[in-house]
Amino acid sequence: MTYLVSNLSYPLSVSSPDFKPAVLKRLGCRSSDLLGTSVYRRSVDARKKDHIKLTYTVAVEVKEGARLRKEPGVRELQEEIPAPRLGNKPFRYPPVVVGFGPAGMFCGLMLARAGFRPIILEQGAPMEERTQDVERFWREGSLDPDSNIQFGEGGAGTFSDGKLMTRISDGYCRVVLDEFIKAGAPEEIRVLAKPHIGTDLLRKVVVALRKEILSLGGEVRFHTKVQGFKVSGGRISALRTSAGEIPAEVVALALGNGARETFSACLEDGIGVKSKPFSVGTRIEHRRNRIEEALYGDFAGHPLLGAAEYQLSERDNETGRAVYTFCMCPGGLVIPAASEKDGIVTNGMSYHARDGVNSNSALVVSVDERDFGSDPLAGLRFQRELERRAFILSGSFRAPCQTVGDFLGLGTPAGAEAVTPSYALGTVPADLRELLPRVVSEKLEEGLSVFGKRLPGFDAPGACLTAPETRTSSPVRFLRDARRESETVGGVFPCGEGSGYAGGIMSAAVDGIHAALMMMEGRSPD
């Protein structure tokens, strides 16, 4: 039997703890009952900067029948393995997966391993080609609307940080980590409380997963854009694509949150969609060393601590509106992330080393129907209008930018440490209050003040704000039932970020696994 023993803390001076004494004390068992220990999870406790600790959850293997004390923080390890409930009814046509981001990738992988030979459609390019398209855009401002940060093999998360932290507690999270490691991700992601792969490594991992799907008989068709859906008798019968019509009985809609044209096509062809809240704002950049000093004090730079990360939030209980940081990229870059030729989008990215001069995160405010109305695509139009206003304000893909001091109306004092924006295409000085909705500007001002008290230097006048950040999550939510199937068109399984039920690589991948299991239920691959 294996148990998890949590909350075992040790100072930084203990780099390789001996867990056995603490484990025996917590379990109350004999030393001879203990078969082995291993680190299951490791996190940093920096609440006291003069006494930073590493906190561990340890997997403990004990003999069958051993008598254990029932203690808080001790539980049996129960990890789930995806096991499709197959039947004897084969599909007439191969299952189709639309999108090759985390949800589509893991949905396709599960289908392929079960012998179903899925057809995966991706409107963007394969990784090698996509990387060249992205780098050309960052260098020259020449955007390919179908191959960019939003579209292409791996999805939008491939060109961010490869962050795998999630708030969901689904048992398949460990499965996703294991699959990433088998595909070439570093082993450390299995134990870190805030795991990340890094953009540079994640590109290779994505290609390895694609190759496995192909080796199992699946197909990945790049440069294939879904343009509409054929429905017969309330069920999906075919997809209309840029490469022709594809018949289908079951389809996983594993769309990214920027799949605006496909959202519209779904709505037009009867696949139920409604608007949902999301958030907009800016990216905020600080010097990386200042963030490390603020969080770790004299321990800044300690090799056991890794990159310094923060997560800050404040909610108004009366209005329900929140201001918070999101997608924090230590030692990273603010990147051009547009997918339309007349709009500016910003995002954040880190390489695996996270050793850049600046650290950045989204600083955003929640928006909802009060701001854009209740039409199913109203949030989408709200995003697009903000992105286009930024493009008009700039006159190009250079992003509007302002120091925190100027945004707060305080100016930037002489001698204040200036942060140089990292945005590849350059920035233009701008008053971001002219760009952002008033309610967003007001909440950003409030957030800067509150967060500056919690994290010294967060509101430093020389820190910079680069805008707009608009693609925090999907502006729509698909109507799906408890089986993850569309409520309005049978055989359609919306999943991942674009469906409105996931946020980030991990939760999207897990959602894709669940979608695959539902698609396969009662079916035979032959």
Side-chain angles (χ1 to χ4, degrees):
M1 299 287 289
T2 302
Y3 290 84
L4 295 181
V5 179
S6 58
N7 299 319
L8 300 179
S9 295
Y10 299 85
L12 291 178
S13 57
V14 181
S15 59
S16 299
D18 176 8
F19 299 113
K20 188 174 180 179
V23 165
L24 289 174
K25 183 177 180 180
R26 292 280 290 277
L27 294 180
C29 63
R30 296 173 301 179
S31 179
S32 59
D33 290 330
L34 195 62
L35 300 179
T37 63
S38 61
V39 176
Y40 187 84
R41 184 68 43 81
R42 188 185 79 202
S43 61
V44 175
D45 181 354
R47 288 174 293 180
K48 297 180 179 179
K49 293 185 182 61
D50 60 345
H51 188 55
I52 294 178
K53 299 179 290 184
L54 295 178
T55 300
Y56 296 85
T57 296
V58 178
V60 183
E61 188 178 358
V62 299
K63 289 181 179 178
E64 290 287 341
R67 293 185 178 181
L68 306 178
R69 181 186 300 138
K70 292 185 177 180
E71 281 275 330
V74 177
R75 62 183 174 88
E76 186 178 345
L77 174 60
Q78 295 178 327
E79 295 188 303
E80 299 180 36
I81 303 298
R85 295 189 291 268
L86 302 180
N88 54 16
K89 184 180 179 182
F91 289 115
R92 285 187 299 159
Y93 309 108
V96 177
V97 179
V98 182
F100 200 50
M105 194 177 307
F106 276 83
C107 181
L109 183 63
M110 295 300 114
L111 289 167
R113 284 188 178 165
F116 284 92
R117 302 183 189 89
I119 297 172
I120 303 173
L121 309 179
E122 169 56 55
Q123 79 174 65
M127 186 60 66
E128 301 85 350
E129 182 182 337
R130 182 189 183 196
T131 299
Q132 292 177 6
D133 293 336
V134 168
E135 291 177 349
R136 185 184 307 110
F137 174 52
W138 291 352
R139 186 175 61 250
E140 303 171 3
S142 176
L143 176 70
D144 183 336
D146 291 322
S147 180
N148 48 59
I149 290 293
Q150 307 295 335
F151 302 125
E153 183 172 22
T158 302
F159 287 86
S160 61
D161 184 75
K163 282 178 283 293
L164 304 178
M165 187 178 66
T166 180
R167 290 191 177 94
I168 67 170
S169 56
D170 194 291
Y172 293 155
C173 288
R174 200 74 172 181
V175 173
V176 174
L177 293 175
D178 288 342
E179 293 298 338
F180 278 137
I181 291 169
K182 284 191 285 185
E187 289 273 353
E188 66 186 19
I189 66 172
R190 189 179 280 119
V191 301
L192 295 179
K194 297 180 180 180
H196 92 110
I197 299 176
T199 295
D200 45 343
L201 300 187
L202 186 55
R203 297 174 190 175
K204 300 174 185 177
V205 170
V206 165
V207 171
L209 290 170
R210 181 233 298 174
K211 289 180 177 179
E212 180 176 353
I213 292 171
L214 296 178
S215 73
L216 295 169
E219 293 183 52
V220 182
R221 301 181 185 177
F222 294 106
H223 301 295
T224 305
K225 189 172 185 177
V226 172
Q227 299 170 326
F229 305 85
K230 292 184 71 173
V231 179
S232 177
R235 294 191 64 83
I236 190 73
S237 61
L239 295 87
R240 298 190 300 274
T241 81
S242 57
E245 190 169 287
I246 300 174
E249 289 179 80
V250 288
V251 175
L253 286 179
L255 308 174
N257 70 41
R260 292 169 173 174
E261 293 183 25
T262 312
F263 294 155
S264 297
C266 289
L267 191 63
E268 290 172 5
D269 292 328
I271 300 173
V273 174
K274 65 178 182 179
S275 68
K276 65 171 276 294
F278 55 99
S279 300
V280 298
T282 75
R283 301 298 299 190
I284 183 168
E285 283 191 276
H286 305 86
R287 295 286 290 267
R288 176 171 59 92
N289 63 327
R290 297 306 183 204
I291 295 298
E292 292 184 349
E293 290 165 3
L295 289 171
Y296 296 152
D298 291 341
F299 290 98
H302 194 288
L304 290 179
L305 291 176
E309 299 180 66
Y310 59 77
Q311 188 171 357
L312 304 163
S313 64
E314 181 73 12
R315 179 176 293 275
D316 186 323
N317 291 328
E318 289 188 13
T319 65
R321 202 178 296 272
V323 54
Y324 61 99
T325 63
F326 169 80
C327 184
M328 198 260 162
C329 298
L333 305 167
V334 175
I335 59 173
S339 58
E340 297 178 349
K341 290 193 173 182
D342 57 354
I344 293 176
V345 181
T346 65
N347 199 353
M349 181 184 85
S350 293
Y351 295 112
H352 180 69
R354 288 178 159 181
D355 58 359
V357 174
N358 292 351
S359 290
N360 73 81
S361 74
L363 177 62
V364 293
V365 175
S366 57
V367 292
D368 53 35
E369 291 183 356
R370 292 172 293 180
D371 307 294
F372 48 73
S374 59
D375 179 88
L377 300 181
L380 184 157
R381 290 191 291 271
F382 180 89
Q383 284 180 326
R384 179 176 277 156
E385 175 61 24
L386 184 53
E387 293 164 13
R388 288 178 174 173
R389 285 214 311 267
F391 190 86
I392 292 170
L393 182 63
S394 164
S396 69
F397 280 116
R398 293 185 300 161
C401 187
Q402 188 174 27
T403 66
V404 166
D406 286 344
F407 180 78
L408 295 176
L410 304 174
T412 305
E417 184 177 57
V419 175
T420 302
S422 62
Y423 186 84
L425 287 170
T427 61
V428 294
D431 182 353
L432 297 186
R433 293 178 189 271
E434 293 181 5
L435 169 65
L436 301 169
R438 180 176 178 180
V439 67
V440 173
S441 295
E442 290 175 349
K443 291 300 292 185
L444 289 177
E445 181 176 352
E446 178 184 324
L448 286 164
S449 175
V450 172
F451 301 157
K453 294 180 176 66
R454 297 180 190 170
L455 180 62
F458 187 84
D459 58 348
C464 63
L465 303 169
T466 307
E469 167 84 37
T470 54
R471 309 285 182 95
T472 53
S473 66
S474 180
V476 302
R477 176 167 287 132
F478 282 74
L479 307 181
R480 72 181 194 185
D481 60 22
R483 295 187 66 254
R484 290 176 162 78
E485 189 171 14
S486 168
E487 293 181 0
T488 58
V489 177
V492 173
F493 292 81
C495 59
E497 283 216 31
S499 72
Y501 293 91
I505 292 173
M506 181 68 79
S507 58
V510 167
D511 207 38
I513 292 174
H514 282 292
L517 296 176
M518 291 296 100
M519 293 166 73
M520 292 186 281
E521 193 170 68
R523 295 289 193 160
S524 166
D526 300 316

